[in-house]
Every structure is written in C-alpha cells, then in structure tokens.
C-alpha cells in the first residue's frame, strides 16, 4: 500500500504552486530535489577557464589599458577605453564561470520531482536567477518512460526534447535525474504504468 504525503511537507517555496496544480483527488506520494552536483558537469575545468579569463583581463588591462605611470595617474582621460571594454568582457565571463557552483545550487534549489497517485510532475529551473517550468507526465508519457540506475541513483527519462539552435540540431533528455532512492522511484513509476495499462485495458474492453 502506497502511503500519501501532504504537500505541506514540501519546501515552502513550492507549496502554493503545487497546491494549485494538483487535480481533485490527487495526492503526493514522494518528492525529491536533485543534488547540485547533477548540474556541475566539468565544473572544475569551467572554473579554471573562468580564472584564466580573469587573469587575461588583469594582464591586458595593466599592460595596455592603464597608463604607464600606474594607479596614481589613473583617470578617464588616460585610459585606453577599447582595451578596457575587452578586459571587462573577459572579467565578466571569468566571474560567471567561476560562479558555476552557485548557479548549480540555484538550479537544484528551484527544481522539484514529484510522484502523485495519478502522474509524475516536474518543476524545472529556468534561467540562472529565477523562473521555473512545470510539466506533468501521464498516460502515454508514463508508458514510454525509461529508468536507469547510475552510482546508486536513478534517472527516469519521460521524453527527449529536440530543438535547433544556430542551424544545429540538439536533443536533451527530460525527466528526473539523480534520485537518491532508486528502488522507491522505480516502484512508483511501475505503479503508475500499471494504472495506465489497466485504464487502457478497460477502455478497449468496455463490456
């Protein structure tokens, strides 16, 4: 028997949103938030790249942008503004890359995976600062869902999102990633798949 949890056990920032999205008679069975590590692919390499960009900006500024006499004669009149512009671009890019752990934490904090007694729900972060997307998986989407295990965690893929950018075609998996209780997650997925199969059977055999 699956025991249902009240939505008020969710992080407070999600409670009102989820309460509006739930259908009549729908209750939350289990919920997870991903670890920030799920968004920190190659983070050390990216942070080193950010440090490298920042160092380049520092060297170019003092080598070509600032006046030879140094800080005591630093003013708007004797700065090389073109060089300063490029240095600022490198510095901003470097800081962005070095803050990757913070962006990953922000994405993980604004992402929530839920199984209810009717469907699977995904609240996904959108953008580095704010904004979220909401998607519900039921019926055919549940039947097509695939689960995998990796390093003691479960990934559940509901669909593949395909898009085109700058003339190049890309695809990305959409689903739940890095669930730290794989047995429960897969059990709930199979439970919902069973409900969908039973519903389809009843529709095909109304008598």
């Amino acid at each position: 028997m699956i025991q249902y949890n009240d939505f008020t056990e969710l992080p407070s920032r999600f409670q009102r949103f989820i309460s509006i999205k739930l259908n009549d008679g729908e209750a939350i069975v289990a919920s997870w938030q991903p670890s920030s590590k799920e968004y920190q692919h190659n983070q050390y390499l990216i942070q080193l790249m950010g440090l490298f960009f920042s160092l380049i900006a520092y060297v170019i500024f003092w080598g070509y942008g600032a006046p030879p006499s140094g800080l005591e004669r630093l003013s708007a009149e004797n700065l090389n503004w073109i060089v300063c512009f490029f240095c600022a671009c490198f510095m901003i890019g470097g800081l962005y890359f070095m803050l990757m752990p913070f962006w990953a934490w922000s994405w993980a904090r604004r992402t929530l995976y839920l199984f209810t007694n009717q469907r699977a729900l995904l609240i996904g972060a959108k953008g580095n600062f704010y904004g979220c997307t909401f998607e519900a998986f039921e019926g055919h989407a549940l039947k097509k869902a695939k689960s995998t295990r990796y390093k003691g965690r479960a990934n559940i893929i509901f669909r593949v999102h395909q898009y085109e950018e700058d003339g190049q075609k890309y695809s990305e998996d959409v689903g739940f990633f890095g669930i730290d209780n794989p047995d429960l997650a897969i059990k709930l997925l199979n439970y919902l798949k069973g409900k969908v199969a039973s519903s389809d059977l009843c529709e095909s055999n109304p008598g």
Side-chain angles (χ1 to χ4, degrees), residues 54-75 78-80 83-84 87 91:
S54 300
L55 288 175
I56 287 179
Y58 178 85
V59 170
I60 292 178
F61 176 77
W62 288 111
Y64 301 96
S69 55
L71 283 173
E72 63 273 11
R73 299 191 60 183
L74 188 64
S75 65
N78 53 23
L79 280 177
N80 187 331
V83 174
C84 290
C87 289
M91 183 63 71

Side-chain angles (χ1 to χ4, degrees), residues 12 15 42 52 67 76 83 85 92 113-114 147 160 179 181 196 207:
S12 58
Q15 289 179 12
N42 301 319
F52 179 67
V83 174
F85 171 77
I92 292 171
Y113 307 142
L114 300 123
S147 61
V160 177
I179 297 176
N181 192 336
V196 172

Side-chain angles (χ1 to χ4, degrees), residues 9-27:
E9 297 179 11
L10 300 174
S12 58
R13 56 188 173 277
F14 294 110
Q15 289 179 12
R16 177 173 174 77
F17 181 78
I18 291 297
S19 66
I20 295 172
K21 293 295 183 180
L22 291 179
N23 296 327
D24 291 338
E26 186 174 17

Side-chain angles (χ1 to χ4, degrees), residues 128-173:
N128 286 328
F129 300 101
Y130 63 89
C132 294
T133 61
F134 174 81
E135 191 164 359
F137 305 101
E138 51 191 324
H140 187 62
L142 287 173
K143 290 169 64 176
K144 292 181 63 178
K146 298 179 180 179
S147 61
T148 59
R149 294 173 183 260
Y150 180 71
K151 294 184 177 179
R153 293 176 178 265
N155 296 331
I156 298 176
I157 310 301
F158 294 102
R159 67 179 180 87
V160 177
H161 173 58
Q162 296 181 331
Y163 62 98
E164 187 171 328
E165 188 175 295
D166 298 327
Q168 299 289 326
K169 293 184 178 180
Y170 301 92
S171 64
E172 61 181 4
D173 295 332

